[in-house]
Structure formats: structure tokens, C-alpha cells
């Protein structure tokens, strides 16, 4: 019986596909889905459907909770919330609530749908045989493929929440939700709070370690500069010290040589300095008598003449 029905649908759909799209009105394009936790991936797919033709009227069907929970699973948002989310998308012209899981000819005729837009991945129909829910639409040539947005999906968002479940529980506890509203026991709440405090403490310690590490890096960066400056200063000091020592050694050598010259020729030293020999008369006086060959020395207290006598 089902095969006969599909045959009839194919015959009608072939006639439908052979007709050209109308040019005197906007093309009515239909897109459907669950649209739970409506995100930008949903919006982009609807944008593609809206822009599939120059003049498009976009109808968006959304399955109710009963159908969705039966064939796909539990949703986060209620059907009313999902309908309202779609109404606030700028690409949507009309929302069709209680949309069917499998698209039929009757549904297309009822809403005067020209094309159905969706991604090309196969979605199992209600028969359980693993057939694609869009098999009929694809067969009649009324299917417009859209591209999925990589990296974002309702399942991915739920996975992130489940993965960091404890953090989100604490987040909501801090915002005033009770543990009963969150389905959390008293012991679990206390354990989560203690773990969160420990985590914050670890983060502070790590932050301080990073600051110390940054300071060590700064010191290491400037260390070479300090060593170079120190080497330059030491080299300059040693050069000046060596020069000073050389000058001092030269001066000492000159003074020693001068002293040696004084000891070797005291008379010549006095003459060289513009002094006469009699300048030393303070120590002794020497008298010379032209009439005799005798010398007198007053300081000694005797003279040669007396001794000769």
C-alpha cells in the first residue's frame, strides 16, 4: 500500500516539477527544523533559503514538543519558545507551528510551497526504515540545498554545558538559584563550593607565578646590558689607573734620579741652581790670606800657623 502511495506521489510530483517557477509572484520556499537553542548556524541556513531566489517568501516550519521528543529527543526550549525565536529572525516571513516530521504533497499544496530548502544530510523518517524525510521532495526536483555552518550546533552547545556542568551549577547558585531548583543535593553544593574556592586559589597562585616569571625574564633581558656596562666601566677604570700609575712611577723615578745627582755632585748642583759656594757659610767660613799660605778656620777653633810654630 505504501509503495502505491509513493508511486502516486511520484507521478504527481513529476508533473509538479515540470512546471516552471512563477514569475508574477514571490517564490514560496519552505524550511523546517527543530531550532532548539536558536543560534547563528540556524540563522545562516535560513538566510541561504531566503536568498535562494531573487524574490522569495520564506516559510519556516517548526515541530512541536511531542513530535520532537518522539523522533529526536528532549529539547531545552519549549515549542512556544522555539516558535518565538524564529519570529524574531529577520529572514523569516512566516512561521508554521506544529510542522510535520515528513513533508507530503498535501502539506506542500496546503501552503502553496514551491521549493523546500535544507542541508543535504539524510534525516530518518517516521517509518523506522532509515529513509530520508526529504526523499519525496528531492524526487520531484523541488529541493534546494543549503550548507551547514561548521563548528556550531545545538548538540555542540549542550555538550559544552554538560562538560562544564559543575561550573554552570555554581554560576547559577551565585546568581540566586536554589540547589533544589538546580536538582543538586546539599553535600554536592558544599563540595562544589569548596572545589571552586580551591580553584580560585590555584588561579591566584598561578597568576603570581606568572608575574614573578615575567620579572625574572625582564631581569634576564637586562642582565647582559648590566654586564656590558660593568665591563666597560671596569675597563675604563683600569685604563685610568694604569695611566695614573705610569705617571706616578715616572715622577718617583725622576725624583730618585734627582736625589742621586745631588749626592754625587753637590757643588755642581748648587751652581746649577744659581747659588754660589759661599752660600753655605752659615755652616762654616773659609778664609784665604793672599800674603801667606795659611788657612784659618774659625769654627774649628784652631789654625795651621799656630801648629807650625
Amino acid at each position: 500500500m505504501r509503495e502505491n502511495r509513493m508511486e502516486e506521489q511520484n507521478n504527481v510530483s513529476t508533473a509538479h516539477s515540470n512546471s516552471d517557477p512563477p514569475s508574477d509572484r514571490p517564490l514560496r520556499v519552505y524550511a523546517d527544523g527543530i531550532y532548539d537553542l536558536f543560534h547563528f548556524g540556524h540563522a545562516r541556513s535560513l538566510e541561504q533559503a531566503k536568498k535562494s531566489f531573487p524574490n522569495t517568501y520564506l516559510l519556516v516550519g517548526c515541530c512541536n514538543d511531542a513530535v520532537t521528543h518522539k523522533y529526536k529527543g528532549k529539547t531545552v526550549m519549549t515549542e512556544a519558545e522555539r516558535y518565538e525565536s524564529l519570529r524574531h529572525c529577520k529572514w523569516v516571513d512566516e512561521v508554521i507551528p506544529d510542522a510535520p516530521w515528513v513533508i507530503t504533497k498535501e502539506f506542500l499544496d496546503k501552503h502553496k510551497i514551491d521549493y523546500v530548502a535544507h542541508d543535504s544530510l539524510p534525516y530518518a523518517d517516521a517509518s523506522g526504515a532509515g529513509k530520508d524525510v526529504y526523499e519525496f521532495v528531492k524526487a520531484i526536483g523541488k529541493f534546494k540545498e543549503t550548507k551547514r555552518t561548521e563548528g556550531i550546533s545545538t548538540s555542540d552547545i549542550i555538550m559544552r554545558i554538560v562538560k562544564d556542568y559543575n561550573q554552570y551549577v555554581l554560576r547559577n547558585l551565585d546568581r540566586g538559584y536554589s540547589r533544589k531548583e538546580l536538582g543538586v543535593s546539599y553535600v554536592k553544593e558544599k563540595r562544589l563550593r569548596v572545589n571552586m574556592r580551591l580553584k580560585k586559589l590555584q588561579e591566584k597562585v598561578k597568576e603570581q607565578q606568572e608575574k614573578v616569571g615575567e620579572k625574572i625574564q625582564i631581569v634576564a633581558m637586562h642582565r647582559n646590558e648590566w654586564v656590558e656596562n660593568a665591563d666597560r666601566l671596569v675597563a675604563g677604570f683600569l685604563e685610568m689607573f694604569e695611566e695614573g700609575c705610569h705617571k706616578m712611577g715616572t715622577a718617583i723615578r725622576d725624583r730618585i734620579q734627582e736625589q742621586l745627582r745631588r749626592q754625587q755632585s753637590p757643588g755642581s748642583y748648587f751652581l746649577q741652581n744659581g747659588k754660589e759656594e759661599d752660600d753655605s757659610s752659615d755652616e762654616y767660613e773659609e778664609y784665604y790670606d793672599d800674603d801667606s799660605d795659611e788657612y784659618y778656620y774659625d769654627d774649628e777653633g784652631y789654625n795651621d800657623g799656630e801648629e807650625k810654630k
Side-chain angles (χ1 to χ4, degrees):
M1 183 176 179
R2 180 175 178 78
E3 291 177 358
N4 294 334
R5 184 181 175 186
M6 288 298 296
E7 251 180 47
E8 291 175 0
Q9 288 180 350
N10 287 337
N11 293 333
V12 175
S13 63
T14 304
H16 192 180
S17 62
N18 291 333
S19 60
D20 295 330
S23 58
D24 57 342
R25 62 172 176 82
L27 285 174
R28 294 172 69 84
V29 177
Y30 175 77
D32 64 348
I34 308 303
Y35 302 108
D36 191 22
L37 297 176
F38 190 85
H39 51 75
F40 68 88
H42 293 140
R44 284 184 177 178
S45 66
L46 296 177
E47 179 185 5
Q48 293 176 56
K50 178 70 174 178
K51 295 179 178 180
S52 57
F53 296 99
N55 190 9
T56 302
Y57 183 85
L58 181 61
L59 301 95
V60 180
C62 187
C63 301
N64 58 32
D65 288 344
V67 173
T68 303
H69 296 169
K70 180 179 179 181
Y71 295 113
K72 190 167 185 178
K74 183 175 176 57
T75 58
V76 177
M77 301 171 67
T78 65
E79 59 186 39
E81 292 169 339
R82 293 185 283 116
Y83 299 157
E84 192 63 22
S85 297
L86 286 168
R87 293 189 182 101
H88 285 79
C89 179
K90 70 175 184 177
W91 309 112
V92 178
D93 296 306
E94 181 181 342
V95 175
I96 301 177
D98 302 319
W101 188 258
V102 180
I103 299 173
T104 62
K105 178 183 179 302
E106 291 77 16
F107 182 79
L108 295 178
D109 292 340
K110 177 182 177 181
H111 296 282
K112 299 178 181 179
I113 296 171
D114 297 307
Y115 288 93
V116 176
H118 206 278
D119 62 78
S120 60
L121 293 177
Y123 290 83
D125 63 8
S127 66
K131 293 183 178 180
D132 187 3
V133 296
Y134 301 104
E135 182 178 354
F136 166 68
V137 181
K138 291 177 180 177
I140 65 176
K142 294 298 183 180
F143 185 81
K144 296 294 292 185
E145 181 182 350
T146 59
K147 300 295 183 182
R148 294 177 64 90
T149 301
E150 296 296 332
I152 184 68
S153 69
T154 301
S155 298
D156 289 340
I157 295 174
I158 294 175
M159 182 190 67
R160 297 176 197 174
I161 297 173
V162 172
K163 181 181 177 182
D164 299 322
Y165 165 76
N166 291 338
Q167 295 184 26
Y168 287 112
V169 169
L170 283 173
R171 173 184 180 274
N172 282 2
L173 286 172
D174 292 339
R175 282 161 175 74
Y177 288 88
S178 67
R179 61 179 182 82
K180 292 183 178 179
E181 289 176 314
L182 297 173
V184 177
S185 66
Y186 174 81
V187 175
K188 185 174 180 63
E189 177 192 359
K190 297 303 179 184
R191 185 170 65 249
L192 288 174
R193 290 189 182 279
V194 171
N195 291 339
M196 183 56 65
R197 291 192 187 99
L198 289 175
K199 186 175 181 180
K200 288 182 179 179
L201 180 61
Q202 291 174 351
E203 290 175 353
K204 288 183 179 180
V205 172
K206 185 177 180 181
E207 183 180 354
Q208 292 300 323
Q209 289 176 341
E210 290 177 352
K211 289 182 179 179
V212 172
E214 291 176 358
K215 291 182 179 179
I216 291 175
Q217 289 180 354
I218 293 173
V219 171
M221 289 173 60
H222 292 291
R223 178 181 176 278
N224 293 333
E225 297 180 7
W226 296 339
V227 171
E228 290 177 0
N229 292 336
D231 291 343
R232 187 165 54 253
L233 292 173
V234 170
F237 171 77
L238 292 176
E239 184 178 353
M240 294 175 62
F241 181 77
E242 183 179 0
E243 183 179 356
C245 288
H246 178 72
K247 291 181 179 179
M248 183 181 295
T250 302
I252 292 173
R253 184 190 62 194
D254 293 344
R255 293 187 65 180
I256 291 174
Q257 290 177 353
E258 184 179 352
Q259 291 294 332
L260 291 174
R261 285 197 299 271
R262 287 182 181 180
Q263 292 178 3
Q264 291 176 359
S265 55
S268 62
Y269 171 77
F270 290 126
L271 289 175
Q272 287 175 1
N273 287 275
K275 295 182 180 180
E276 295 180 355
E277 293 181 355
D278 57 2
D279 287 345
S280 60
S281 60
D282 291 340
E283 296 179 1
Y284 64 90
E285 291 184 1
E286 179 182 283
Y287 297 94
Y288 176 75
D289 189 358
D290 293 339
D291 297 335
S292 65
D293 295 334
E294 298 177 349
Y295 288 87
Y296 298 89
Y297 296 89
D298 292 341
D299 292 339
E300 300 293 334
Y302 69 91
N303 56 67
D304 292 342
E306 292 179 358
E307 288 182 357
K308 289 180 180 181
K309 289 180 180 180

